Amino acid sequence: MSGALKDPVKVAVLGCGTVGTQVVRLLTEQADDLAWRVGAPVTLAGVYVRDTSVPRDAVVPVDALTSDADALIASADVVVEVMGGLEPARTMILKAIEAGAGVVTANKALLAAHGPELYEAADAAGVDLYYEAAVAGAIPIVRPVRESLAGDHITRILGIVNGTTNYVLDEMTTKGLAYGDVVAEAQRLGYAEADPTADVEGFDAAAKAAILASLAFHQRVALDDVHREGISTVTKDDVAAAAESGHVIKLLAIAERAADGVAVRVHPALVPLSHPLAGVHGAFNAVFIEAEAAGELMFYGQGAGGAPTASAVLGDIVSVARHRAQGGRGPLESNYADHPVLPIEAVSSRFQLRMHVVDRPGMLASIASTLGNRGVSIETVRQKRAQHENHAELVIATHRAPESDMARVLEDLTALDAVLDISSVLRIEGE
């Protein structure tokens, strides 16, 4: 770039937690590079915190802290929201948009709950709304789906989008540990919150699934449209049975397009060892995309943490600040489609059933007949003797079948005298 730089672009940061602190650090340390990438100096207008007396990391200038959000927003060209939660984040973002500022947010819960309101406000005001960090931390996934694949038809997304659950399941798989023990260790290491519900019960992943589905299918998908199941019921025996069949268990966010609509769901699933997602370890994230023209694409990297998430935020800041300095706007919301959002009962999956049964003549035939009567076809059966002399464990993998049919199968199986219990039912994905 040649010639003089334009007037400074002033950036306000709302929130000074782990991510906010790293955003301030990068803005300061990379000020010279950012100026040339944007075409104008990028300066810190201030950092909003509720209590300015609380000690902060030394990278955050004390004189930049303020508890007056309204005044800070009014002074900024770009407002970065990294507070989390629904309120006051929603109100502050709307105030920033009304004031004509571009907005960058990492708040997946807010976008999943109030995205349409924010998109419409930004479009009406003619300002940018960017949110790369809201879905998978440092992984660039929003921009590729929203822009790079805008000329393609995405048919399916499989995503590991929560680092905490992936860490827990990976530790259970590689070390043979129990669920509760791994969650406690994840809390000690800082991978899991004191209350891990949002992660382990799939709420975090469901919010991200709603955002990805809305982008991929060009229509609004609400959080309530996402079927959600967590990993708290996954046991060591489930993990061992998965390994015996050549699978690992992952919490997947799945968005897929069918002839009669779109389906979005989050649940634990068996992933074959041959699939790229099976090799995603620790607290890492990955998103696997299937598109008509591009084929199969994989995005992999750190899905959480202050510095990785701040990297994605800074990328958005550069884009929004460049538009402020040079003119132009980012992509608008694309929501022209109106496909029905299918309930989980309308989705078809392959299943693995693990059950304990009375080992007697005719038992297998009775169970096979029960599945067949509901139109569910068996692919494989593994039988192992249980500790009790006359009991056995059956592991049945089915061909693809509607969820509604499988629900009826489970009701019928529990009514059989030969079935002592159904230990687990897991879907098989990626085959």
Side-chain angles (χ1 to χ4, degrees):
M1 175 181 172
S2 61
L5 297 177
K6 298 180 183 295
D7 292 337
V9 177
K10 293 169 290 199
V11 177
V13 179
L14 307 181
C16 196
T18 302
V19 176
T21 298
Q22 293 301 317
V23 169
V24 172
R25 180 182 66 82
L26 292 175
L27 278 172
T28 303
E29 292 180 355
Q30 300 184 18
D32 291 342
D33 287 337
L34 293 175
W36 290 104
R37 293 170 190 169
V38 168
V42 179
T43 61
L44 180 65
V47 181
Y48 165 76
V49 293
R50 291 183 177 87
D51 185 353
T52 58
S53 66
V54 174
R56 308 286 172 179
D57 191 291
V59 303
V60 181
V62 175
D63 59 0
L65 298 173
T66 178
S67 59
D68 189 343
D70 290 347
L72 177 61
I73 289 170
S75 72
D77 300 302
V78 180
V79 173
V80 179
E81 184 275 306
V82 284
M83 297 184 299
L86 301 184
E87 288 291 355
R90 169 186 161 275
T91 298
M92 290 183 181
I93 287 177
L94 289 173
K95 285 181 178 179
I97 291 172
E98 184 180 354
V103 172
V104 174
T105 179
N107 196 330
K108 68 270 184 177
L110 178 63
L111 291 170
H114 297 290
E117 178 186 17
L118 301 180
Y119 304 143
E120 289 175 2
D123 288 350
V127 300
D128 287 330
L129 175 60
Y130 274 66
Y131 47 92
E132 183 64 68
V135 175
I139 301 173
I141 189 64
V142 170
R143 197 181 304 260
V145 172
R146 185 163 69 163
E147 300 178 43
S148 302
L149 294 172
D152 207 338
H153 284 94
I154 294 174
T155 56
R156 198 165 194 239
I157 294 177
L158 298 174
I160 297 171
V161 294
N162 182 273
T164 299
T165 52
N166 199 60
Y167 172 82
V168 170
L169 292 172
D170 191 49
E171 290 288 288
M172 292 177 69
T173 299
T174 57
K175 298 181 180 178
L177 300 176
Y179 168 81
D181 294 336
V182 182
V183 171
E185 178 66 6
Q187 290 170 321
R188 187 185 70 81
L189 294 173
Y191 291 146
E193 301 288 343
D195 179 0
T197 302
D199 293 322
V200 300
E201 296 302 340
F203 290 98
D204 176 83
K208 296 170 180 177
I211 295 169
L212 282 175
S214 298
L215 291 170
F217 304 136
H218 304 280
Q219 68 179 72
R220 291 174 177 172
V221 177
L223 184 58
D224 289 344
D225 294 325
V226 182
H227 174 81
R228 176 194 53 78
E229 300 172 27
I231 66 167
S232 58
T233 59
V234 176
T235 66
K236 291 171 61 176
D237 290 339
D238 293 329
V239 171
E244 290 174 2
S245 64
H247 298 85
V248 293
I249 300 177
K250 298 291 186 183
L251 182 73
L252 295 183
I254 304 172
E256 55 192 349
R257 185 157 54 94
D260 52 348
V262 300
V264 190
R265 48 201 166 102
V266 168
H267 54 68
L270 297 170
V271 178
L273 294 175
S274 59
H275 195 281
L277 290 178
V280 179
H281 298 291
F284 278 70
N285 283 188
V287 179
F288 189 83
I289 294 178
E290 300 171 12
E292 290 181 359
E296 296 178 345
L297 303 168
M298 174 89 158
F299 300 82
Y300 168 84
Q302 295 191 59
T309 304
S311 171
V313 171
L314 258 289
D316 282 350
I317 291 174
V318 168
S319 296
V320 177
R322 185 185 296 125
H323 294 152
R324 300 289 298 194
Q326 309 291 341
R329 278 196 64 191
L332 304 179
E333 181 194 13
S334 177
N335 68 335
Y336 63 86
D338 190 24
H339 304 294
V341 180
L342 305 175
I344 189 65
E345 293 78 14
V347 175
S348 291
S349 299
R350 293 184 60 226
F351 297 89
Q352 179 173 286
L353 286 66
R354 191 166 59 82
M355 65 188 77
H356 292 96
V357 298
V358 179
D359 191 6
R360 65 190 184 198
M363 175 271 296
L364 274 176
S366 174
I367 290 175
S369 176
T370 299
L371 271 74
N373 289 340
R374 294 296 187 181
V376 178
S377 174
I378 295 175
E379 183 176 281
T380 63
V381 177
R382 301 198 314 276
Q383 179 173 340
K384 298 189 299 181
R385 184 165 296 281
Q387 292 181 344
H388 192 285
E389 181 179 355
N390 297 320
H391 294 174
E393 180 182 78
L394 282 186
V395 180
I396 297 175
T398 74
H399 290 287
R400 189 168 291 276
E403 294 265 351
S404 56
D405 289 348
M406 181 53 63
R408 297 185 183 96
V409 164
L410 297 177
E411 291 177 358
D412 295 345
L413 287 175
T414 56
L416 294 179
D417 292 339
V419 177
L420 299 170
D421 67 64
I422 300 174
S423 303
S424 69
V425 181
L426 289 168
R427 299 166 184 88
I428 303 172
E429 299 290 345
E431 292 186 340

